[in-house]
Amino acid sequence: MTRPGAPRARSRSDLRRQRRPHSHRCWDHLLLAPLWPEHDANLGTLLRTCDAVGACLVVPRAAWVRRAVAKGNTLRRRSCVHRVSDPLRWLEAQGRAGTRLLAVELADDAIRLGDLPAARQRTVVLLGNERDGVPPDALALVDEVVEIPMIGTGLSLNVAVAGSLVAYKLAGML
Ligand SMILES: C[S@@+](CC[C@H](N)C(=O)[O-])C[C@H]1O[C@@H](n2cnc3c(N)ncnc32)[C@H](O)[C@@H]1O
């Protein structure tokens, strides 16, 4: 028997009623950019996070990436995905246009996640390759780096987990 006052998980139909009936247009404010991806599954996970926080996903223009995003897209509605042909040139252009470039990386002088305020301007959130991280020539272009503190024995987090934590913080939803 259920204890009176016990928490009740919302049903799928409750959730459906509470969610947007249609996708929102491209807000172009937070752009989560795994520009050097290697694993399909991370792109699908990041796409769901983008949907949850109202961000866009930016991926390299490649056939396998298109397939990976389509496969990982388990959402009911179309999501906002931008495709770029040349990640470094795209990043340079974003910086020149006044967009804030924030890398999510383990780096000296990084801001700790807890100290990262919500994004008040258009922000590109750069995520590194699963093994090699953010390439040095891309890191040289960014305005700031954010690091998620860790106290275990692992060297780093999964890139989709790291990107999701930062996206929630920048969206002001944590
Ligand atoms: C597995 S890590 C690669 C880590 C590392 N730079 C390397 O070369 O071994 C993949 C990506 O996840 C993100 N990441 C993982 N853990 C992180 C953390 N604790 N703080 C910030 N970013 C992290 C970064 O974007 C990183 O480039």
Side-chain angles (χ1 to χ4, degrees):
M1 204 179 73
T2 315
R3 179 172 57 80
R8 182 187 76 87
R10 276 178 279 157
S11 66
R12 287 176 74 84
S13 47
D14 289 340
L15 293 172
R16 211 164 267 135
R17 261 194 311 277
Q18 288 163 4
R19 296 288 186 258
R20 292 170 184 277
H22 305 291
S23 314
H24 55 75
R25 62 181 170 76
C26 170
W27 284 341
D28 202 36
H29 177 65
L30 274 185
L31 297 96
L32 229 60
L35 293 178
W36 300 274
E38 209 162 307
H39 300 305
D40 302 24
N42 289 330
L43 296 175
T45 304
L46 287 167
L47 191 64
R48 291 191 69 118
T49 298
C50 285
D51 173 72
V53 303
C56 309
L57 184 70
V58 188
V59 290
R61 196 185 299 279
W64 81 266
V65 171
R66 182 178 287 278
R67 283 193 298 275
V69 170
K71 185 171 146 207
N73 187 1
T74 51
L75 298 163
R76 292 176 304 137
R77 304 276 184 257
R78 225 165 69 85
S79 303
C80 184
V81 180
H82 302 227
R83 294 170 207 283
V84 303
S85 302
D86 183 335
L88 265 190
R89 284 184 62 182
W90 179 81
L91 265 184
E92 276 167 354
Q94 301 303 308
R96 273 199 306 276
T99 293
R100 173 190 184 208
L101 306 182
L102 178 71
V104 180
E105 192 51 280
L106 300 118
D108 294 339
D109 301 324
I111 311 169
R112 288 163 55 95
L113 180 65
D115 297 328
L116 184 70
R120 301 175 72 98
Q121 66 178 101
R122 186 172 187 270
T123 302
V124 168
V125 183
L126 201 55
L127 299 167
N129 169 270
E130 283 85 342
R131 265 178 314 139
D132 302 330
V134 177
D137 41 3
L139 215 45
L141 297 175
V142 305
D143 302 303
E144 286 161 302
V145 180
V146 58
E147 178 169 335
I148 303 155
M150 300 174 61
I151 55 168
T153 57
L155 298 184
S156 61
L157 293 166
N158 165 275
V159 64
V161 170
S164 299
L165 288 168
V166 172
Y168 260 89
K169 197 74 181 18
L170 287 172
M173 292 168 74
L174 273 187

